[in-house]
Amino acid sequence: MTKVVLVDDHAMFRAGVRAELGSRVDIVGEAGTVAEAVAVIDRTKPDVVLLDVHMPDGGGLAVLQSMQGSDARVLALSVSDAAEDVIALIRAGACGYVTKTISSDELTAAVARVADGDVVFSPRLAGFVLDAFRDAPVAPAIDPEIDQLTPREREVLRLLARGYAYKEIASELFISIKTVETHASNVLRKLQLSNRHQLTRWAADRRML
Amino acid sequence: MHLRVSDGNHGRVTTAVAPPRRLYRRPDRGIAGGVATGIAEHVGVSVRTIRIGFIALAVAGGLGVALYGAYLIVVPPAPDAGPSRFPTWVEYVGAGIAAIAAVGVAASSLPQGGLFLPTLLACLGGALIWRQATEPERSRLRSLSRTSLTAASGQRLGRARLAAGAALVVAGAVLVLAKADFSAIRDGALAVTVTVIGLALITGPWWMRMATQLSAERAERIRSQERADIAAHLHDSVLQTLALIQRNAETPREVVRLARGQERELRTLLYGSRQASGQLAEHLRTMAGEVEDAYAIKVDVVCVGDAEVDADLAALVAAAREALVNAGKHAGVASVSLYAEVEPDEVSVFVKDRGVGFDPAQVADDRQGVRASIEARMARHGGSARLRSSAGEGTEVELRMPRKATK
């Protein structure tokens, strides 16, 4: 069974997630602070960390930054769906981002997908990425490989944003589910690696909104 | 600095009048600090008489100016007086000109003016600083001056400035003593300038720190104002909603609807309040919120890009609303996705649910919903609508509206 660590400063929320997921994944540890989280992840070596974004002492970002050497994959979980939170967590290395209003079935599926090495794109995250890579670059891309999306990746993202599941995307585009997953992973990697000026500016603009 | 209302303790030393009837300035009614007005009120003579008296004394040897200045410094403004009628800088410029003129006149007329007046001016300047300050500021000044004098080596700049100021003051005095050319206005003016620069250098750090502290205080006030706004909001809406949820605990649908509506409202407060109005994304979100409330479903809105809403886009929003309402009524699901993308030449909106679906071919022609309110509406504005559905697979409505004016 997938070993999961829950990191959230609200004990009540941890209890809720434990009650919902407890029978379907193996919850090996919980943490309420950044320091606890780092210790628990180090000790229990989980497959997946469910990480809250907003916590005292730096929040999820601090946890992500201090688990550089760990093999655990991180799924960010938050009440906030503000663009700056989403993008910051993904760029720090999270494999996906879901909001806390997600249903237990969807959350279980998301955990399983992250444990399998895939990424989790909520429609909202797909929308953010499309938005961030939308405009034609003002300056020529520094590294076109990671600074631009391919037309196919764009198509996949659009369908994700429209609420399609991977299976539905696969049948819509006549490709295999595996290919959809590859496209999604590539997009996430581009989002993490791209240091193009526009992406930072986009994030800054969003904060102004 | 504005002229502050001084508390009574500090005026007592300088006014010879018994406490019940004290001499006050009326800066809110007078012209230059309200000295004449205050005196006139105090002794019961018309203001004009007092003013003429001052002017006469000023013309005959300059005593009137000095007297007026002395009154201005030692007489506190009336406790009930408002701030001056003029902007603060006007008063300071006026006071500066008056001081220079007074010193010039006195330096030329008094035999020892060149030496006496700069010193007097320096003392009066210091007195003025203390006079204008209210008690908490005074104690702050005291502590500030202490830190300025006992500053650590890190604050070398402050010490250098202090030393330079003191040196200038001494230099001014020496200059006056050495060149004891008692009749020269030039020397007096020069000495005064040097003294004033010295004073400015000495007190400069204080004023700068005062200014920083004032702006810090202002920022703090704004913050607490914001906190109060949020507290008020929490009280008005969140607590109300929580109360309603408790009363509706038996009907999960109603609870979800209340919670969702409150969540939306809070999100707008936290993240969306500064968004420009009249934009497509905002219209879509508002519309989706209304549908959420009316049909107790959750609408996940994702918008890419944004555009000003014109008549065509308003029709697009209305058609999207109709599609959401259909999903809410017939699909039998808890959530619906709404995706909008603004491209340079067209705007597309997708409404997708995973509900029961239906066979579009079997819908009777006379049914209003899709035909009239979605397809016809889109066609009228030059757009198109496409509906994909099959029983058990959910429904997706695709709306496309070309953009006329592309920027």
Side-chain angles (χ1 to χ4, degrees), chain A residues 31-119:
Chain A
T33 64
V34 173
E36 265 176 52
V38 174
V40 166
I41 292 164
D42 200 42
R43 195 178 69 238
T44 57
K45 307 251 180 294
D47 302 311
V48 175
V49 178
L50 276 180
L51 183 61
D52 186 22
V53 176
H54 290 287
M55 287 191 296
D57 338 307
L61 207 55
V63 177
L64 264 171
Q65 278 156 1
S66 57
M67 49 184 284
Q68 292 299 340
S70 170
D71 289 333
R73 294 170 63 78
V74 173
L75 178 60
L77 189 62
S78 170
V79 291
S80 161
D81 51 11
E84 59 262 30
D85 292 334
V86 180
I87 299 297
L89 264 275
I90 297 291
R91 280 176 73 87
C95 300
Y97 187 106
V98 292
T99 50
K100 283 184 176 176
T101 48
I102 191 172
S103 72
S104 350
D105 288 340
E106 284 174 317
L107 185 57
T108 315
V111 170
R113 188 175 289 161
V114 169
D116 282 349
D118 289 328
V119 299

Side-chain angles (χ1 to χ4, degrees), chain B residues 1 4-7 130-139:
Chain B
M1 294 276 333
R4 273 167 204 280
V5 176
S6 176
D7 56 2
W130 286 80
R131 175 89 249 157
Q132 303 277 12
T134 55
E135 186 49 41
E137 277 173 344
R138 223 168 285 192
S139 59

Side-chain angles (χ1 to χ4, degrees), chain A residues 135-199:
Chain A
D135 310 314
V138 180
I142 300 156
D143 182 354
E145 186 75 353
I146 56 166
D147 285 351
Q148 278 165 6
L149 300 177
T150 65
R152 199 53 151 185
E153 285 164 355
R154 241 172 242 278
E155 267 178 294
V156 170
L157 275 179
R158 278 210 181 96
L159 289 170
L160 280 168
R162 277 158 67 177
Y164 279 62
Y166 281 16
K167 197 176 67 175
E168 293 165 323
I169 296 173
S171 67
E172 176 82 16
L173 299 179
F174 305 108
I175 53 179
S176 72
I177 295 181
K178 197 71 221 159
T179 313
V180 178
E181 288 169 355
T182 311
H183 283 310
S185 298
N186 287 345
V187 170
L188 197 81
R189 191 176 52 86
K190 285 182 180 182
L191 187 63
Q192 285 168 349
L193 296 182
S194 171
N195 55 358
R196 65 179 209 156
H197 168 63
Q198 206 162 355
L199 195 63

Side-chain angles (χ1 to χ4, degrees), chain B residues 55-66 102 105-106 109-110:
Chain B
I55 290 168
L57 281 173
V59 171
L63 182 59
V65 177
V105 168
S109 59
L110 293 177

